[in-house]
Every structure is written in C-alpha cells, then in structure tokens.
Amino acid sequence: MSRSLRRGSIAAIAAIAIASLSSCAASTTPDTLQIKPDNAAATLGTNLRLNNIVLVTGVGTSGDYTGPANVVVNISNTAGTPAELQSITVGSATATFADAAGAPQSSIVVPPGGSVVLGGQGNPSASFSSASVHIGGFATATFAFKDGQKVDAQAGVSPDSGENGRGLYKGFGPTPPPTPTPAAAPTKAATPSAGATATGTPTAPATPSAGATTAGAPVAGATATATAPAAH
C-alpha cells in the first residue's frame, strides 16, 4: 500500500472516532449522562407541564429535616379549559394552599393557555406545616388534579438560603413565627415613709389659742345697747 493510501485510511478512522464521540456528547438525556437534572419537571397528558419543582425549607436547615417547607413550581396549561390542582403530598404530609394575599384556598386553578407559579412574593403558595425530607437531596412530591390526573415528581430539597450558599431560593422558605413579647411585670405601689402624711387623710381642725375671740360670740363685760322706741 502506498504512503498516500495509508495516510488516507488513518485520517478516515480518526474522523469516524471523532464523530462517534461528538454524537455521544451531544445527548443531554439523564440516561446517557447518568446524572439527575438540577430541578425536577413532570408532564401530565399533553397539556399540563410542571417545571422547576423544589421544596424549600427554613433558613439554616441541613441534613435530615422534619418541619415546615414551601413548594416552588411553575405549572403551565396549554389546554382550552382550566386545570385545577387539588393536592400536593410528600409522604404523609399534605400541603395547604393560599392565594397571593395569604387567604386560604381549597385548590389552585391554572387558566387555559396560561400558567401559575407557586411560591415567592406576590404568588399563591403551597406550604407544608411539617414534612420529612433530606436537605440537598430529593423528595417524592405527588401532584393530583381534579380531572383525576396524578403525577409523582422527584422534587429537589433546598434551604431558604440556597444550596451551597448560592442563594437561589432566598425568600422562598417558610416564614418563622413571630417571637412573643414577654408581658411587663406590674409596678409595685410605693410604701410611704415613716412620718410622711398620707395623701387624702383629713387634717384635724386647729384649736383656737387662748384669748382668741371667736367670731360671733359676745365679748365678756360689754354692754348691749338697745334703742328704745320713741314716745309719742
């Protein structure tokens, strides 16, 4: 074989190898890359899509955790009719719903051709009073809709400050209850010191001194002058 043919064969083999490696790297499916996506997503039928499903716990939480948690998820509905989310459960815990103002709701309605974001300021919320999860791991969250559709999603679990301190979910976690203010102790009434005159005690009337003349009393020895009627 000539040198030119040998060089051509080597170049062709190298090109095939590069193409094979490139086609493998181009795939982004978890099965191919053997990794989990950063945030869970789920699809129900052809019209409902749940994106960025995360359970957010309180500030400073870590490891195995049982306590309050909020759900963060974007639900889109491409159907021509509304979709109604009736429940979200994690283990035996069921989330409670509230509108953007904090008023309780029995369900979350996703309008036709629209979407609803749960979690964050100005959005409706789904909150667990107590859920058992592992911070930094995944938890199975079940979403059930009024039409009977139901899906399980492996939701990521992150503290309020964000995993690894990145702050991705700062402000999305449960709000801690306000600290009660201790009641002020009643003030003890002051005891009057010895010799002090108590307020409101009537003062005894003064005794007139000797020789003083009482107003209105006749003076001893004085002659009473009377005017006799004139004789006619």
Side-chain angles (χ1 to χ4, degrees):
M1 181 182 293
S2 66
R3 292 181 179 178
S4 61
L5 289 176
R6 283 198 300 270
R7 286 197 298 268
S9 298
I10 293 171
I13 293 172
I16 292 172
I18 293 172
S20 299
L21 292 173
S22 299
S23 62
C24 289
S27 177
T28 57
T29 61
D31 291 338
T32 302
L33 299 179
Q34 296 298 308
I35 61 173
K36 285 183 177 291
D38 287 342
N39 297 315
T43 301
L44 288 86
T46 58
N47 298 314
L48 285 175
R49 175 79 176 175
L50 285 69
N51 295 305
N52 192 42
I53 309 169
V54 183
L55 300 178
V56 185
T57 57
V59 176
T61 53
S62 62
D64 292 329
Y65 167 84
T66 298
N70 289 349
V71 180
V72 175
V73 60
N74 185 332
I75 307 174
S76 62
N77 176 23
T78 58
T81 56
E84 187 173 342
L85 176 64
Q86 288 195 314
S87 69
I88 303 175
T89 56
V90 171
S92 60
T94 301
T96 56
F97 299 134
D99 63 16
Q105 290 186 226
S106 59
S107 62
I108 299 293
V109 177
V110 186
S115 64
V116 169
V117 175
L118 294 183
Q121 187 174 6
N123 298 320
S125 64
S127 305
F128 292 97
S129 60
S130 182
S132 296
V133 294
H134 181 78
I135 310 299
F138 290 84
T140 302
T142 302
F143 295 78
F145 289 79
K146 186 177 181 180
D147 61 1
Q149 294 190 90
K150 183 185 294 187
V151 65
D152 292 337
Q154 292 301 305
V157 182
S158 175
D160 186 288
S161 57
E163 204 172 336
N164 300 323
R166 291 178 294 175
L168 295 177
Y169 300 102
K170 183 67 177 174
F172 286 82
T175 303
T179 303
T181 303
T187 304
K188 187 177 181 180
T191 303
S193 59
T197 303
T199 304
T201 303
T203 305
T207 303
S209 60
T213 304
T214 304
V219 180
T223 305
T225 303
T227 305
H232 294 285

